[in-house]
Structure formats: C-alpha cells, structure tokens
Amino acid sequence: MTNEQRLKIGLFVIRLGIGIFFLALTIQRLVVPEVTQRVFEKFYSFQLPITTSYALGIIQVMVILVFLAGLYKTFSYSALLGIQAVLVISTYKELLNPYKPSYLLFWAGIPVLGALITLFLLRNSDNFLAFQSSANKNLSLSRNFEQWRQQKILDVLFSLSYRTGELSGYLKEIACDVSKLIEIDVCVVTLCQQGFAKVLASSIDLNEEDNSTHSLHGQLTGTVVNTGQNLIVENTKYCTEYGQAPEGINAYLGIPLCTYQGEVIGTICSFHKKPRKFSAQEIDIVELFAERAATAIDNYHLYQQQRQFNQTLEAEVARRTEELRVAQAKLVEQERLAAIGEFAASIIHEIRNPFSTIKLGLNYFNKLDLSPQAQKRLLLALEEAKRLERLLQEILVYAKPQTLKLSRLNINDCIHQILEVLRNMPEAIDKNIEFNPGNTDPTIEGEEDKIKQVLINIVQNACEAVSSGDIVKLQVNTNLNLQEIYIQVINGGKPIPPDILPLLTQPFFSTKSSGTGLGLAITKRIVEAHNGEFLIESNGESGTLVTVKLPMVTA
C-alpha cells in the first residue's frame, strides 16, 4: 500500500469520527432540551425562538452530513470549526453543568476539538481534509493541462519548418508560438553583436523605429547578452538593478541564444505589461524555442558564408576560365598568324620579283613622251602598283610576329614628339587636333616606334571621318586604382553602325574604297603585344571614341 493510499484512508477515518461525533452532539442537544412557551430551555444559555433554534440545528446537521459525504468539494474545514465553536459558546452553561448528560459528552469532545484546531493549523490553503478531493481534482486538472501544453509544444515544434531558408518567417513563428504558449503580451527575437541589438522577429507588428538597431547599454537585454544567463524580472518597477525595461513593460523574461560553441548571438525576450511570475515550465518552454532559434540563426549565417564562398569561387573559376580562354585564343591566333606569315612571305617573295620588273617597265614608260590618254593610263597603273606594294608590305607587317624592344616611355612626351607630324598629315589638313595630356606621370613599358605607329594610325582614321574645321581630340587619362593608362581619340563624325564595329579590327575589312583593311588590325596587334586593350565605341551623340588601354609602370 502506498503512502498516498494510507493518507487517504487515515483522512477518511478522521473525517468519519469527527462527523459522527458532531452529529451525535447535535442530536443530543436537540432531544434533551424542553420546550416551554415555544422557547428552548435547558439547552442554550440564551433564550432563542424555536424556529431559530431548529433552523440552526438543521443547518448543523446538513453541514455535518455534507462534510461526511464529501459532496461539497470546496467545503472549508475552518467553516465547520467555526460553526462548532458557535455551538459550544451558546451552550456553555449546559455543557459545564456536571449534573447534565451533556457534561460528559462535552469533556469527551475536547480531544476532538483539539484535533480540529490542530488540523486547521496544518491546513494547506484552508484545505486539508474536506479539500482533499478538491485538491486531487485540481492536481488532476493541472496534470491534464501540462499534458495538453506538452502536446501543444510538440505540435508547434513539428509545424516549424526551416526548409525554405526564410529566416525571418521562421523566427516570426517562434516568437508568436512562445507568446501564445506562456501567455505574454510581446515576444521578440533579437540579434546582438558588438553591444548593439536588432529585432529579427516579433509576435506583434513593430514600427520602423523599433526594428532599427539600438544600443544594449543599460538595457535588460544587455545583461542577458553579457552574462549569457537567463534573466527573470517579475516587476520592473521595483527591480532596476539589471537594466531598464522598455516603456510600458512591467515583467521581463530574457533567454540567451547560444550557438554550439557557446557564443551568445542574440536573445528571446518576453515582455508583459503587468507584473507576473514565470514558472519553471514556462522558462523551459522558452529555452526550448531559444535553442531552435539559435540553431536557425547560426545555420543561416553558415549558409550565407558558404554561399558567399561559392560565389567567390564561381567568380574565380569564371575569371580563370576567361583567362584560359583568352590565352588559348591568343595561342591559336599566334599559330594562325605564324602560318599566314610563312605563307605570305613565300607568296610575296614569288610576287615581288615579277612585280619589280613590271614596276621598272612602268617607270620607263613614264619617262617617254606619251599621248595624254596613254599618260593617264600610265599614272593609274603606277598608283595601283604603289597600292599593291603597300598592301604587300602591310601583309608582311601583320603576319610577322610582334617582337618588342621595350623601354620606359612617357606617353605625354611621346605624343608631344609626333604632334606636329600628326597635324601635318594630308588627312589632318583643315582639321583641328587638340591634345590634353595626363595630369600624372603616364609611364609604360613599350617600343616607342610601334606606339607612335598606333597613334598615327588612329588619329589618321579620326581625321578622315570628320569634315574640314572639325575638332579631333587626343587625350591621356590615368586610373591609379587599376594602374592603367588610357589614350583616347575622339571625333564627332558620322557614327559607325553597331554591326560594323566588331569587324573594324578584322584583317582585310575596310569601309574605305582605297583601304587595305589591315591598318586597325595591325594597330590592335601592337596594342595587345604591349598587354593592352584596343576598344572602339560610337554613337550619334558623342561620335566615335577609340581607346587604347596600356598597363602603367610605377617608379
């Protein structure tokens, strides 16, 4: 037999004995007295009307029977003690008379009265005997409520899903569930770093100011973060040693969010507008959800770091792939040009000998006195011979590998040296060439003659694209961050169609009737041999912009 069962039997026996004694005492007092002139005599120390006396007696009997049966679950044992005390006081003369039958019954009831007083003093919230069944019921209800709450917690935890990766929505669910389970007004999840906190989620909608980052200095949440321990403040008005509570908040529960490494990364804060206590079960509930929130935030940060690393890795792979592609394209281009050069050299060698003979014959006929019509045809043949000779020379230059004799060159000085040559070119007559030198010292590693060849070629093309009196701008800019020098030639001539721009640097493509189509192709090859970049842009507003990017050399 368990202690709980022994206690129940003992309480029942005590209650039965006390009840029978009270019942016997009441009946004896109702039977023994004599009624004279509708008033009880020899019973009460005071004369009472019959109706009052019977009513009092009936109430006593009912109370005792209810007490015996335990029907009234909230029946207070002190009420029974009070009724019996009134009965004893009202009949003290009869009870103290040794010649009356009630005398012995009175003295026999003294131990019972002492037991009643003892039991009354040992009561638990005025419920010791008669409240036993009520207490059992309350205990059962409490257990049922705890079971219901535990099931509710399991249901909530099961419904929480972080599969979507939406951290804010997940933390919002946690804040709302905590607010409902422990019945508080507001629950917020904060992220705390370097003495500042930011609200990540809240059980209620907050304004912009509440969602902003704020200092933790002197705040309750700051104490939670600094100590890494739970903080419970039942009444913030009387307990201010841990920091200041938000306005209108009188009860506070703060639980730290800790990672597996023990680092405090935030808090779950529960606020209530009225003072209240927080039970151990409620604290356990919030700690359970705090663990979920900390894990989610930590995993989210790890995910972001991994994502950033993947992006960096992808960018690096793309950059290396592009470098490999460019290097491979250059290698293929060099092999192609080497083959073209070898083939062109052999063809030009075979063409040059008969071409020289033809040219000598044309020069001989040019010394003779010919008719005007013959002279005109002869001059046309000589011009074509010169164009063919120039084409053969450019083919050799284009096909020949670019070997550079590098030295340090100041681009400003290099342009100043050929500026007069540029202005005196046939294509530059009646055109205005403006030069804007770079402010810093634009120094490169390159071959001076080839850089001058690039400048002459792009300025010559720019002058051919504009009308008389127009301006061609030649300017030098530097980018110290990228360590690059930009040589730019700008003309306001007719814009180049977008579909033509990519073709301008291809061999043998020309928009001019007398062009060989190798000028810009040779220019691009020279620039790339200097580890530079050759760009052409054109639009109807600003005209055509040709840019030569070259790596800068620092002292």
Side-chain angles (χ1 to χ4, degrees), residues 23-126:
L23 185 60
L25 180 61
T26 301
I27 295 173
Q28 188 266 344
R29 288 175 182 174
L30 289 176
V31 172
V32 171
E34 298 178 1
V35 180
T36 304
Q37 296 180 355
R38 303 183 64 83
V39 175
F40 274 107
E41 294 180 354
K42 301 179 183 180
F43 180 69
Y44 292 102
S45 299
F46 311 99
Q47 291 185 353
L48 296 174
I50 293 178
T51 54
T52 303
S53 300
Y54 273 115
L56 182 60
I58 291 173
I59 291 174
Q60 290 184 69
V61 172
M62 290 180 62
V63 170
I64 293 171
L65 291 176
V66 170
F67 173 71
L68 281 172
L71 298 176
Y72 186 50
K73 304 303 181 183
T74 60
F75 179 74
S76 174
Y77 193 79
S78 60
L80 180 62
L81 180 61
I83 293 174
Q84 187 62 28
V86 171
L87 184 61
V88 171
I89 293 172
S90 65
T91 60
Y92 71 93
K93 289 182 179 181
E94 295 291 331
L95 295 175
L96 294 177
N97 188 348
Y99 299 105
K100 295 292 184 180
S102 59
Y103 176 77
L104 296 176
L105 192 59
F106 168 74
W107 289 107
I110 287 177
V112 179
L113 187 62
L116 290 173
I117 295 174
T118 303
L119 295 175
F120 172 72
L121 295 176
L122 293 175
R123 74 195 189 284
N124 181 16
S125 300
D126 203 22

Side-chain angles (χ1 to χ4, degrees), residues 409-427:
L409 299 176
N410 186 297
I411 296 298
N412 287 339
D413 296 341
C414 185
I415 293 177
H416 278 298
Q417 292 175 9
I418 64 169
L419 189 57
E420 287 301 318
V421 176
L422 295 175
R423 289 172 176 168
N424 292 323
M425 291 188 303
E427 294 83 1

Side-chain angles (χ1 to χ4, degrees), residues 236-528:
T236 58
K237 289 184 179 179
Y238 302 109
C239 183
T240 58
E241 59 181 307
Y242 299 109
Q244 183 180 2
E247 184 178 356
I249 299 301
N250 287 313
Y252 174 84
L253 171 61
I255 306 295
L257 303 181
C258 300
T259 63
Y260 292 115
Q261 295 79 18
E263 179 188 2
V264 179
I265 59 175
T267 62
I268 284 187
C269 300
S270 302
F271 303 98
H272 204 64
K273 296 179 181 179
K274 295 181 180 180
R276 61 158 290 180
K277 295 182 179 180
F278 294 95
S279 66
Q281 292 83 358
E282 290 174 334
I283 296 173
D284 291 340
I285 290 172
V286 182
E287 287 180 342
L288 181 61
F289 282 90
E291 182 180 351
R292 291 297 186 93
T295 302
I297 294 174
D298 193 29
N299 290 343
Y300 179 78
H301 288 164
L302 291 176
Y303 169 74
Q304 293 297 327
Q305 293 175 4
Q306 183 65 37
R307 184 179 178 184
Q308 185 177 4
F309 174 76
N310 291 342
Q311 291 177 347
T312 304
L313 183 62
E314 290 175 1
E316 183 67 17
V317 170
R319 186 180 66 83
R320 294 294 181 88
T321 303
E322 180 63 18
E323 290 179 356
L324 181 61
R325 187 192 65 79
V326 171
Q328 187 177 8
K330 287 183 177 180
L331 181 62
V332 172
E333 181 69 11
Q334 290 175 357
E335 292 177 352
R336 186 178 69 86
L337 292 176
I340 292 176
E342 183 179 355
F343 176 74
S346 61
I347 293 297
I348 291 173
H349 177 73
E350 294 297 328
I351 294 176
R352 183 171 290 175
N353 290 331
F355 175 73
S356 297
T357 303
I358 294 172
K359 187 176 179 181
L360 287 174
L362 292 175
N363 288 328
Y364 173 78
F365 283 111
N366 193 28
K367 298 176 182 179
L368 300 177
D369 186 14
L370 302 175
S371 62
Q373 186 175 3
Q375 187 68 31
K376 183 177 179 180
R377 291 183 176 179
L378 179 61
L379 293 176
L380 180 61
L382 288 172
E383 288 294 329
E384 291 298 319
K386 291 180 181 180
R387 191 176 72 82
L388 181 59
E389 186 178 16
R390 187 169 63 252
L391 175 61
L392 294 176
Q393 185 63 33
E394 289 182 355
I395 291 175
L396 284 177
V397 172
Y398 180 75
K400 184 179 179 182
Q402 295 290 332
T403 55
L404 304 177
K405 298 179 181 179
L406 299 177
S407 62
R408 290 205 169 192
L409 299 176
N410 186 297
I411 296 298
N412 287 339
D413 296 341
C414 185
I415 293 177
H416 278 298
Q417 292 175 9
I418 64 169
L419 189 57
E420 287 301 318
V421 176
L422 295 175
R423 289 172 176 168
N424 292 323
M425 291 188 303
E427 294 83 1
I429 296 176
D430 298 332
K431 316 288 173 57
N432 296 322
I433 299 178
E434 295 183 357
F435 174 52
N436 297 318
N439 295 327
T440 58
D441 184 21
T443 303
I444 67 167
E445 286 279 350
E447 184 174 338
E448 183 175 0
D449 291 339
K450 292 188 179 296
I451 294 298
K452 288 180 178 180
Q453 181 181 354
V454 169
L455 293 171
I456 292 172
N457 198 353
I458 58 179
V459 172
Q460 182 179 9
N461 286 341
C463 291
E464 290 177 347
V466 297
S467 304
S468 298
D470 290 346
I471 298 176
V472 174
K473 295 181 181 180
L474 175 61
Q475 60 189 25
V476 177
N477 297 312
T478 57
N479 189 327
L480 297 179
N481 294 329
L482 299 178
Q483 291 292 299
E484 290 180 339
I485 296 175
Y486 306 138
I487 305 173
Q488 295 177 319
V489 177
I490 306 170
N491 72 80
K494 185 178 179 181
I496 303 173
D499 56 329
I500 300 297
L501 283 175
L503 305 176
L504 293 179
T505 55
Q506 291 187 6
F508 306 108
F509 179 84
S510 178
T511 58
K512 297 179 288 186
S513 58
S514 60
T516 61
L518 290 173
L520 291 180
I522 294 173
T523 300
K524 183 179 180 182
R525 285 206 64 204
I526 294 174
V527 172
E528 290 177 348

